[in-house]
Amino acid sequence: MLRRFPALLLALSPLLAAALVAMAAPAAATAAQTPTRGALYQDGPDGRYLLDSDWTLEQDGSRRTVTVPNAWNATGDTLKDFLPKIATYTKSFDLPGAGLKRDWVVRFESVNYRATVTLNGHRLGTHQGAFTPFEFVLPRSFLRRGANTLAVRVDARHRTTMDFPFAGIGSDNEPSAGWWPYGGLLREVYLREVDRVDLDRVAVQPRLPCATCAATVSFHADAHNLSADAQRATLTATFGSQRTTLGTTVLSAGGTSTLSGRLVVRNPRLWEPGSPTLYPVTVTAKIGKRTVQTWSLKTGIRSIRVNSNGVTLLNGKPLNARGFSLHEDWPGEGGAQSNQTRDEQLDWIQQAGGTMLRSHYPLHPHVYEEADRRGLLVWDEVPVYQISTSELSKAPVRELADQYLRDNVVANVNHPSIIVWSVANELNAKVGSTQTRFIKHSVNLVKRLDDTRLIGQAYAGYPSSGCQKGYGPLTALGVNLYFGWYTGRLGEIADRTQLSSYLDQVHRCYPHKAIFATEWGAEANRDGPADEKGTYAFQSQWVRDTLGVLDTKPWLAGTTYWTLQEFRIRPDWDGSNPYPTSPLHQKAVITYDGVKKPAFDVLAQMYKAHAQLGR
Ligand code: GCU
């Protein structure tokens, strides 16, 4: 859930707070600014103000002015640039809007990795983990008329035991996580103006029993009273031209209550690739006759399920999607991408005839909104990445996984583009009791928040791992395939001609699950002979052979090539390329600088020739 500093505790500790003020709050090097109203994505409550320009970044004794989002190690290819550091971001601002007459919340969309946040020297709280948002209420006793100073200490060091993506620390004290650990305020920061009642969670979930049925839309909203007095709030909702009420509740000071409602949409216009119909939705909170907050979003009506024959149906039509996995990484921006470069990546997916995307972590809300608008499907994964079973047995690791699962569903549940919530990537391929418990617990946690989507997990495919009972609660599986690129344990995936029989084994193991081929790729960074690993010719032939096999499996729910665009990874990475280009991961079909490799055209030609929805 989004973080809230307990308002009551703060109200009791003005003296403590005053004492803390004595602690030197980092002096902001820039004059106070009045933030501008607006947001970098659409869905959400009104009253959002961007804190983007003129942040002071202090690191290693130096100080510079930056704009947020910011990754402090977006450039630089050496181990020194790679190794995680600590920094403090400071921003001075005047309260906009109605100022001290209102309540205020600060919202961080993504900080990598640990954040400690203070306001005018008063500690607001801490948060661990990138890629999902968190918020703190700004207690009135902490706020000042005039200049206020927000300070965020960011510690990007991933320890070996309790951090995601799991970072084993190598002999050189190098994190071994599967991508470059960009540090900083990687996505934007907002002030949110609240008039007593804040809707800090809104879930709009259409359910479509059949392709020609009426849809039932359920609404859930958490109404949070930020004021010091009890408030009587009434919530209403609109869906397209229809409206409903979520009821009235009396909220105690600091209290939260969940209100729900539903309505029926007859003859709905469905959302799917090719015709991504979206309905405008609002959820409004009123106190008396006064509207105090309006949440607006767009969502679509669609169904995703697996039938008794194990065929994955989107709106009742067989799905066999084609697409790409991607990382948030762009030259010069690093992991702090702009909407413009996010859109360029989505353009490439569509230029290749792709209708699906996957990542190892929740993406920026703008990407999901664009996927909603473009009719792209999303495998949405939390970075429970290559966590060893011994780590998974530790309560703090499981609690962090729960935090990611909960925060991801709460933040992204309204996007019709998301069809799979993935709880992990490449845990141990032998699913023992620890992982079995993790899967069962995670599936139940996600289902309680959203039962309208598939719940999956990606794993590394090896013939010797056989069928795993522990995957039982999952409705989707993602198998990562590198036959004929890696050799695997005991050389069992060295021969790409074994891929087809392995896929048939997977289907026999899990006849009633949605099976996605979530990863397959071959590194390529140079011209050369087709029989030499690492050449463009080898990659093109390997892609043609591998996709050729995937195209013979009509029961597949889809596949995403690993990856769309090259990304930065630890400097010693070679990915089994005899001549690697440090620190780049180069299985992509587009270079880091945006140049398409020959394999892009191979994929595009085969993707466009393949029926992805309906047959
Ligand atoms: C794994 C992992 C990826 C990684 C890939 C590779 O499947 O999920 O993050 O990049 O292997 O080895 O290229």
Side-chain angles (χ1 to χ4, degrees):
M1 292 305 169
L2 302 182
R3 286 215 171 355
R4 297 277 179 196
F5 199 95
L8 202 55
L9 174 66
L10 288 167
L12 296 176
S13 59
L15 290 178
L16 171 64
L20 289 173
V21 170
M23 296 167 66
T30 58
Q33 299 234 314
T34 304
T36 48
R37 185 186 283 267
L40 297 186
Y41 61 96
Q42 295 178 6
D43 294 0
D46 50 12
R48 288 179 282 175
Y49 297 82
L50 256 178
L51 294 173
D52 50 0
S53 60
D54 294 295
W55 285 78
T56 300
L57 169 56
E58 296 173 88
Q59 186 171 59
D60 299 335
S62 71
R63 178 183 283 191
R64 63 185 193 272
T65 300
V66 298
T67 297
V68 166
N70 170 268
W72 65 59
N73 56 347
T75 56
D77 292 345
T78 64
L79 185 59
K80 181 178 71 63
D81 307 302
F82 177 86
L83 285 181
K85 297 189 182 78
I86 296 172
T88 298
Y89 290 82
T90 308
K91 168 74 180 172
S92 186
F93 65 91
D94 293 332
L95 278 180
L100 287 172
K101 289 198 210 87
R102 291 284 182 271
D103 297 296
W104 292 91
V105 172
V106 64
R107 178 183 180 85
F108 296 88
E109 293 292 344
S110 171
V111 179
N112 193 35
Y113 177 77
R114 279 180 178 77
T116 303
V117 185
T118 62
L119 175 69
N120 299 326
H122 304 307
R123 184 184 167 104
L124 290 175
T126 62
H127 180 268
Q128 172 183 356
F131 312 116
T132 48
F134 59 96
E135 295 186 337
F136 294 116
V137 174
L138 304 184
R140 288 174 179 262
S141 60
F142 290 8
L143 282 165
R144 290 180 189 145
R145 198 174 307 284
N148 290 276
T149 300
L150 182 70
V152 190
R153 180 181 183 276
V154 180
D155 182 348
R157 293 171 303 172
H158 286 195
R159 302 190 192 119
T160 56
T161 55
M162 295 195 288
D163 302 328
F164 299 161
F166 177 65
I169 298 286
S171 53
D172 308 333
N173 187 31
E174 268 186 44
S176 64
W179 56 92
W180 188 272
Y182 290 109
L185 304 183
L186 300 185
R187 297 177 190 163
E188 68 272 27
V189 181
Y190 295 102
L191 274 182
R192 291 203 303 104
E193 182 176 12
V194 176
D195 179 359
R196 294 163 288 175
V197 171
D198 186 27
L199 301 178
D200 62 15
R201 179 178 76 99
V202 167
V204 181
Q205 294 158 299
R207 288 174 179 79
L208 182 71
C210 77
T212 54
C213 296
T216 302
V217 181
S218 67
F219 299 83
H220 301 286
D222 291 351
H224 184 187
N225 176 9
L226 302 191
S227 74
D229 308 306
Q231 301 295 342
R232 189 172 188 278
T234 296
L235 270 57
T236 56
T238 64
F239 190 98
S241 57
Q242 297 180 236
R243 27 180 335 105
T244 187
T245 175
L246 279 63
T248 297
T249 183
V250 176
L251 297 166
S252 59
T256 294
S257 174
T258 300
L259 286 85
S260 302
R262 62 197 289 273
L263 55 76
V264 173
V265 179
R266 303 199 185 290
N267 304 314
R269 285 169 291 123
L270 304 187
W271 184 95
E272 62 186 49
S275 58
T277 301
L278 292 173
Y279 287 84
V281 178
T282 64
V283 178
T284 300
K286 284 183 187 305
I287 296 176
K289 294 201 177 312
R290 178 182 174 81
T291 295
V292 294
Q293 190 174 87
T294 298
W295 246 81
S296 52
L297 62 97
K298 289 192 173 67
T299 193
I301 296 176
R302 55 112 185 87
S303 72
I304 181 79
R305 66 184 185 87
V306 186
N307 73 9
S308 55
N309 299 325
V311 177
T312 304
L313 302 174
L314 178 69
N315 296 337
K317 292 184 266 187
L319 175 68
N320 192 335
R322 294 289 180 272
F324 297 87
S325 287
L326 54 85
H327 267 292
E328 280 183 329
D329 195 345
W330 193 271
E333 295 177 341
Q337 274 190 268
S338 59
N339 284 350
Q340 187 206 333
T341 61
R342 292 174 181 130
D343 290 350
E344 288 199 50
Q345 290 176 327
L346 297 177
D347 290 346
W348 285 332
I349 290 175
Q350 291 186 294
Q351 285 166 24
T355 61
M356 186 169 180
L357 61 115
R358 169 181 177 251
S359 64
H360 278 323
Y361 38 77
L363 294 167
H364 187 281
H366 172 78
V367 174
Y368 297 128
E369 289 179 4
E370 272 298 307
D372 295 343
R373 287 188 282 265
R374 298 175 185 224
L376 296 175
L377 304 166
V378 180
W379 169 289
D380 184 335
E381 189 163 284
V382 290
V384 182
Y385 177 91
Q386 298 182 349
I387 298 291
S388 70
T389 302
S390 60
E391 298 298 322
L392 205 57
S393 64
K394 295 173 184 169
V397 172
R398 292 199 309 275
E399 283 155 20
L400 182 58
D402 285 359
Q403 171 195 305
Y404 265 111
L405 287 170
R406 208 177 295 123
D407 288 356
N408 183 31
V409 176
V410 166
N412 298 311
V413 68
N414 298 318
H415 297 292
S417 53
I418 297 173
I419 57 169
V420 179
W421 299 118
S422 174
V423 305
N425 177 67
E426 295 196 352
L427 304 182
N428 192 312
K430 292 281 190 190
V431 182
S433 57
T434 299
Q435 189 180 156
T436 297
R437 278 196 304 275
F438 164 78
I439 291 170
K440 188 171 178 216
H441 168 83
S442 300
V443 168
N444 290 338
L445 184 157
V446 170
K447 255 186 195 164
R448 282 195 299 273
L449 289 167
D450 178 47
D451 64 356
T452 68
R453 290 174 172 86
L454 302 173
I455 303 173
Q457 180 170 318
Y459 70 95
Y462 292 107
S464 59
S465 40
C467 307
Q468 298 299 318
K469 269 179 56 188
Y471 292 146
L474 298 166
T475 44
L477 278 176
V479 55
N480 296 342
L481 303 159
Y482 290 99
F483 283 68
W485 176 259
Y486 292 130
T487 54
R489 290 168 305 189
L490 321 170
E492 60 181 322
I493 60 170
D495 177 358
R496 72 181 79 166
T497 64
Q498 298 306 306
L499 173 61
S500 184
S501 56
Y502 171 66
L503 286 167
D504 295 339
Q505 175 197 333
V506 171
H507 188 42
R508 282 194 301 275
C509 284
Y510 314 109
H512 302 294
K513 295 186 192 302
I515 308 285
F516 293 83
T518 29
E519 289 186 30
W520 43 289
E523 306 265 338
N525 60 354
R526 63 188 185 280
D527 288 321
D531 62 354
E532 183 181 306
K533 285 179 80 171
T535 65
Y536 297 130
F538 181 102
Q539 183 188 48
S540 293
Q541 189 55 53
W542 187 87
V543 159
R544 190 176 287 109
D545 293 350
T546 303
L547 184 54
V549 170
L550 299 177
D551 282 347
T552 65
K553 309 299 178 189
W555 44 264
L556 265 182
T559 186
T560 47
Y561 179 79
W562 184 262
T563 55
L564 174 72
Q565 179 185 12
E566 292 178 356
F567 60 93
R568 298 196 318 150
I569 189 167
R570 57 186 186 272
D572 68 349
W573 172 268
D574 65 27
S576 275
N577 180 350
Y579 305 102
T581 314
S582 176
L584 288 177
H585 181 292
Q586 297 185 295
K587 291 187 177 68
V589 290
I590 297 176
T591 67
Y592 193 52
D593 298 327
V595 177
K596 291 173 180 148
K597 303 176 187 176
F600 179 92
D601 295 333
V602 173
L603 274 184
Q605 183 265 324
M606 296 176 78
Y607 277 11
K608 290 171 182 172
H610 173 80
Q612 300 187 39
L613 182 60
R615 261 191 289 285

